[in-house]
């Protein structure tokens, strides 16, 4: 009982650290469009409205067919707050401790090494970094992937099916990871029924999500705008991509064998490199879809461990570490040394240092921005910047997209205009927002409600 109490304490402390970290980042105005998209979509679901996000311009199910957003909306019915998303994400990532611990014991590790693998999991830079990357349902899939493996090895079919269902509900592309995991379970773990369930379930959901749900709620153009730009060298449509894959494979090989891909693989594997013995790498069959998609992309964000795109690989890298330790073949075998190795890479590749540098760049007019936000009293439409958007998404219409060539009549549809000219975010420039502020100063329809430290709030006059 004492040991389980220790594990519960680790989960509780980890949840608290993760939640405080993501909340502090948000309060320092470092959140952005992805958080706004999910927050607005879930809010609209909780209000019984069609969850068509004005942030990106399409239905939430057209993004990743992530039906998990609908049950999350029940939390918003209690009280609508973006902090629910930080809480869910923190709890989910921390809960990965439990199946990691059980898998380690199941493999025959002693208590001290099982706890060491828990530390490896928690300090894997991708885990912490993903928690600081706005909000993504992918984080919920991490403990579910670990639980699916534990359930399969324990022959607990109900828990296995629940885990698979949860994974598939987080993101359509995770169906590829589920299929790959099913192949591994079927051929190498000798869990034929479990492997078959994963392969069939993953394949069916991939087809349903990509051929029915996403096209019904969105369009190919939306997908190209949201996701496929990362593979722009393969063409501008699905059909073009298929042709290049079939008839011009040399284009793919030229992109695969690059310095940035080598760097990505090194950074991904370094925290667990001590366990990478050839005979224990079989679980990595499951990470092939995730890693392949990252390697194939020509956009650097896909290969950046600061972001969340490598999350599905982490559970299976942890399995490799457990298998290597259980066989006594890892380069590192002592708990303290394993802990120190993980700690080194956590600080080297984790975003914890951002709290003393990058995350503080908005501090010089932080209080002015908070005061302006407090003056937005209604749920009326608002035009603002990308980093302010996640603080005001609980409304039908909000946008941070501004083009200097836009007609003023298009801008007049907004009831509020909130601009931080000094810190415009990534979607605009200080010059363009300064010009926009001057435009609204000269608009008779709007009143300047607040101006301080380059922060402006305009409100449309009521007749």
């Amino acid at each position: 009982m004492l040991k389980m109490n220790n594990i519960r304490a680790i989960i509780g402390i980890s949840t608290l650290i993760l939640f405080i970290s993501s909340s502090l980042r948000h309060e320092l105005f470092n959140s952005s469009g992805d958080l706004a998209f999910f927050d607005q979509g879930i809010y609209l679901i909780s209000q019984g409205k069609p969850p068509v996000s004005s942030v990106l311009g399409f239905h939430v199910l057209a993004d990743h067919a992530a039906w998990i957003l609908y049950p999350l909306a029940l939390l918003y019915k209690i009280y609508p707050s973006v902090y629910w998303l930080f809480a869910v994400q923190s709890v989910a990532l921390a809960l990965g401790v439990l199946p990691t611990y059980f898998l380690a014991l199941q493999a025959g590790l002693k208590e001290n090494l099982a706890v060491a693998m828990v530390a490896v999991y928690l300090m894997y830079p991708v885990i912490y970094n993903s928690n600081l990357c706005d909000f993504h349902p992918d984080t919920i899939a991490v403990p579910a992937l670990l639980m699916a493996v534990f359930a399969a090895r324990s022959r607990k079919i109900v828990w296995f099916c629940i885990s698979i269902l949860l994974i598939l509900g987080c993101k359509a592309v995770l169906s590829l990871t589920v299929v790959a995991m099913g192949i591994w379970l079927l051929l190498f773990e000798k869990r034929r029924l479990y492997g078959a369930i994963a392969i069939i379930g993953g394949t069916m959901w991939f087809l349903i999500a990509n051929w029915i749900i996403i096209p019904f709620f969105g369009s190919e153009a939306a997908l190209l705008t949201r996701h496929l730009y990362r593979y722009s060298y393969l063409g501008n449509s699905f059909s073009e991509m298929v042709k290049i894959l079939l008839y011009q494979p040399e284009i793919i090989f030229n992109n695969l064998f690059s310095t940035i891909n080598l760097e990505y693989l090194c950074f991904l594997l370094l925290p667990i490199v001590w366990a990478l013995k050839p005979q224990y790498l079989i679980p990595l069959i499951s990470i092939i879809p995730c890693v392949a998609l990252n390697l194939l992309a020509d956009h650097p964000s896909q290969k950046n461990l600061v972001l969340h795109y490598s999350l599905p690989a982490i559970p299976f890298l942890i399995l490799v570490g457990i298998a290597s330790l259980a066989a006594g073949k890892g380069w590192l075998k002592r708990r303290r040394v394993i802990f120190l190795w993980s700690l080194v890479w956590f600080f080297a590749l984790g975003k914890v240092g951002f709290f003393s540098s990058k995350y503080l760049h908005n501090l010089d007019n932080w209080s002015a921005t908070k005061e302006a936000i407090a003056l937005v009293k209604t749920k009326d439409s608002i035009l603002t910047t990308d980093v302010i958007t996640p603080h005001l998404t609980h409304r039908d219409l909000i946008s941070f997209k501004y083009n200097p060539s836009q007609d003023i009549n298009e801008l007049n549809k907004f009831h509020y205009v909130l601009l931080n000219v000094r810190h415009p975010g990534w979607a605009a420039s200080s010059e363009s927002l300064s010009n926009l502020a001057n435009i609204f100063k000269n608009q008779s329809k709007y009143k300047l409600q607040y101006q301080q430290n380059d922060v402006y709030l305009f409100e449309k006059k009521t007749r």
Side-chain angles (χ1 to χ4, degrees), residues 7 10 96-105 107 109-124 146 271-272 274-275 314-326 332 334-335 338-339 342:
I7 294 300
I10 291 172
V97 163
L98 203 57
T100 297
Y101 178 73
F102 288 146
L103 282 162
L105 293 181
L109 291 185
K110 293 182 179 179
E111 173 76 15
N112 64 330
L113 289 179
V115 173
M117 286 312 304
V118 165
V120 172
Y121 165 80
L122 285 173
M123 288 193 286
Y124 221 102
L146 287 163
I272 200 76
W274 54 266
I314 304 307
F316 303 99
L317 290 169
I318 295 299
L319 289 175
V320 170
I322 290 172
S324 182
L325 274 181
L332 306 180
R334 296 174 59 190
R335 179 180 66 175
I338 293 170
F339 181 88
S342 296

Side-chain angles (χ1 to χ4, degrees), residues 434-445:
S434 180
N435 292 336
L436 184 59
N438 290 329
I439 289 172
F440 278 99
K441 284 178 183 178
N442 296 319
Q443 283 288 306
S444 59
K445 295 181 180 179

